[in-house]
Amino acid sequence: MPPINPQGSRGGLITTVVIMSVLFVTSTIFAIYFHTQQRAREKDIADLQSKYKQFVSDVYMSSPEATNIKASLASNPAYRNLSTIEAVAAQRNEMAKLITGTGNPTPPADQQVAEAMRPLADANGPEADLKLSASDSLLTALKALTTKVGAIREQNTKLVQAAKEADDARNQTIADQKNLLGERDTAVAAERAKVEAELKTIATEREQKATQVKSISDETTKTVTRVQGSANELTKQVAQRDAAIKQLQTDLDKAQRKLAGIRMDTKNAVIRQPDGHITRIPDSTTVYIDLGEGDQVAPGLTFAVYDKRKGIPPLGQGMSDSDTDMPVGKGSIEVVRVGPGSSECRVVKLEPGQSLVEGDIIANLVYDRNTKYNFLVYGNFDMDQNGVATADDAKIIQRLVTQWGGRLTDKVDADTDFVVLGKAPTVPTLSDEDKNNPIEQKRAADAQAALEAYTAVETKAAQLYVPVLNQNRFLYFVGYFDQSKR
């Protein structure tokens, strides 16, 4: 059975009290009402008594019934000295004592009549359910009143019992709540103890971790210090090595200069060898050369034109970009038609203040009617002179070499005749933020690797006395500088 709600039990008790209060107020109202009715009835009774006495004196006392009453009362010694009326009244008082069970003095007759009528009047109030009338007998009224009192007592007993049950239920609910609160407090205490234990464990672990972190930090500091010392030592060794290399390079340059005085200059011998001459100049835009069918020339082949008295300029500083150091001749021409013994060429470029004459010499570094030279084209080139070097422009240089009879090689060795180098790779300087960026780190590392490979090719070519040319110097020596910018 579920516990009784204390609020419901309290409501029932309050309802009972309200009902009892209503009954009490109703009884009070009935009492006031019946008192008013009693006053009216007392007046009626007084009138009736007056009429009754007159009737008794005029009629009843002379009737056969009165004669019989007198005879009956005369047989009782207690009533012999009383008048008939007084004897009847005394007899009725005795009967009242027997009914009420009291030995109180007998009230006057009119009062007795009023008292006898009052219950009947009360029972017939506006809220009554006894269904009595003034004509009912006293016994009937007593039975009805007894039944009503018993019902009220029974109802009161039930209400008291319900109130007791409600109070018991309320007490039981309170006890259950106390038990639940006790269980909750026990559970909360257990959880609190558990949390405190976990917090203590966490604090202990945190302290241990802090100790471990400090130990690792100390060890890392020692390692960094040791590595930094090693790096400083390596830096010192690298500086010493660079100094030694620089000294070796200086010694090598001295040796090469000494050798240059006693050996033939193979670089300039190859570069300064003319490939042909201008034989005829029909107009300002057309010339003929002494190379034709059988000389391995083809339309599109270009030549640089040099003065017949000055000849072809030397290589100079092959990697220099200075305009004053470039091998600029009179201009450049391009073969447009090949004939037997000679070829027609158009004038592509004529330097300011220059004019072409018969006998001027022509040269193309790649072309040779008898030999195929080996070229290494390495790096990125900027053929359109826009400041951006690309690998695609390197393919243009390679195509010119193969188109004009040269051969391509992929490394510098004793068989390499010329090295054409593009622009040197630039290694970016990383900011503090970029140093922590893996992408920027890789970009810088790739640029550094490319620069090292570029330098290695240049160094190897110098060691093997292979002529090295940059892009513009190569284009001037093949007469293609002006075409490359178109």
Side-chain angles (χ1 to χ4, degrees), residues 369-395:
R369 72 181 75 183
N370 300 315
T371 305
K372 288 183 176 293
Y373 295 115
N374 295 320
F375 286 80
L376 171 63
V377 180
Y378 189 88
N380 295 331
F381 292 80
D382 181 17
M383 295 293 289
D384 54 4
Q385 307 291 334
N386 65 353
V388 179
T390 65
D392 290 338
D393 285 355
K395 294 179 181 179

Side-chain angles (χ1 to χ4, degrees), residues 347-361:
V347 178
V348 177
K349 172 71 175 178
L350 187 64
E351 295 293 332
Q354 299 288 341
S355 61
L356 303 180
V357 297
E358 294 179 1
D360 284 340
I361 60 177

Side-chain angles (χ1 to χ4, degrees), residues 46-91:
D47 294 339
L48 289 174
Q49 286 178 346
S50 177
K51 292 179 181 180
Y52 177 71
K53 289 179 181 179
Q54 185 64 35
F55 171 78
V56 171
S57 61
D58 295 343
V59 179
Y60 186 75
M61 294 306 296
S62 61
S63 65
E65 290 80 1
T67 304
N68 291 334
I69 291 172
K70 290 179 181 179
S72 177
L73 293 175
S75 63
N76 190 341
Y79 305 134
R80 289 177 182 174
N81 297 325
L82 301 176
S83 63
T84 302
I85 296 302
E86 292 174 349
V88 171
Q91 187 182 40

Side-chain angles (χ1 to χ4, degrees), residues 169-392:
R170 179 178 64 83
N171 293 336
Q172 182 62 39
T173 301
I174 292 173
D176 293 341
Q177 289 179 347
K178 288 182 178 180
N179 291 335
L180 291 175
L181 290 174
E183 293 175 357
R184 187 200 64 182
D185 292 342
T186 301
V188 169
E191 289 296 328
R192 183 180 289 111
K194 183 178 178 180
V195 170
E196 290 177 354
E198 291 179 353
L199 290 176
K200 185 176 180 181
T201 301
I202 291 173
T204 302
E205 292 179 354
R206 182 179 297 170
E207 184 177 355
Q208 294 175 352
K209 294 295 183 183
T211 302
Q212 293 177 359
V213 168
K214 186 177 183 303
S215 176
I216 293 173
S217 178
D218 294 341
E219 184 64 27
T220 301
T221 301
K222 294 179 181 179
T223 303
V224 169
T225 302
R226 185 170 59 253
V227 170
Q228 188 173 3
S230 300
N232 293 336
E233 182 63 25
L234 289 175
T235 301
K236 184 178 179 181
Q237 293 177 5
V238 168
Q240 294 174 352
R241 184 200 63 181
D242 291 343
I245 291 174
K246 185 176 181 181
Q247 183 62 40
L248 290 175
Q249 186 66 41
T250 301
D251 297 340
L252 180 61
D253 291 341
K254 290 180 180 180
Q256 289 177 344
R257 286 194 294 272
K258 290 180 180 180
L259 289 174
I262 60 176
R263 292 182 56 184
M264 179 181 64
D265 186 357
T266 57
K267 296 182 181 179
N268 288 319
V270 174
I271 292 174
R272 303 187 73 176
Q273 179 69 37
D275 294 311
H277 302 80
I278 295 177
T279 59
R280 185 163 61 93
I281 305 175
D283 55 53
S284 61
T285 61
T286 306
V287 298
Y288 285 86
I289 60 175
D290 56 356
L291 299 174
E293 295 176 355
D295 293 323
Q296 310 300 324
V297 295
L301 177 62
T302 60
F303 292 95
V305 180
Y306 299 101
D307 187 273
K308 59 183 179 180
R309 294 184 300 273
K310 296 180 180 179
I312 300 173
L315 174 64
Q317 297 295 327
M319 294 301 295
S320 173
D321 283 328
S322 175
D323 292 337
T324 59
D325 190 41
M326 285 296 168
V328 181
K330 286 186 173 183
S332 61
I333 60 176
E334 179 183 359
V335 176
V336 294
R337 187 178 297 105
V338 179
S342 66
S343 297
E344 180 184 345
C345 302
R346 69 181 182 90
V347 178
V348 177
K349 172 71 175 178
L350 187 64
E351 295 293 332
Q354 299 288 341
S355 61
L356 303 180
V357 297
E358 294 179 1
D360 284 340
I361 60 177
I362 61 174
N364 183 308
L365 184 64
V366 177
Y367 169 78
D368 190 285
R369 72 181 75 183
N370 300 315
T371 305
K372 288 183 176 293
Y373 295 115
N374 295 320
F375 286 80
L376 171 63
V377 180
Y378 189 88
N380 295 331
F381 292 80
D382 181 17
M383 295 293 289
D384 54 4
Q385 307 291 334
N386 65 353
V388 179
T390 65
D392 290 338

Side-chain angles (χ1 to χ4, degrees), residues 453-470:
Y454 180 93
T455 304
V457 170
E458 186 177 11
T459 302
K460 183 71 171 178
Q463 292 174 349
L464 296 176
Y465 301 99
V466 177
V468 178
L469 301 90
N470 60 14

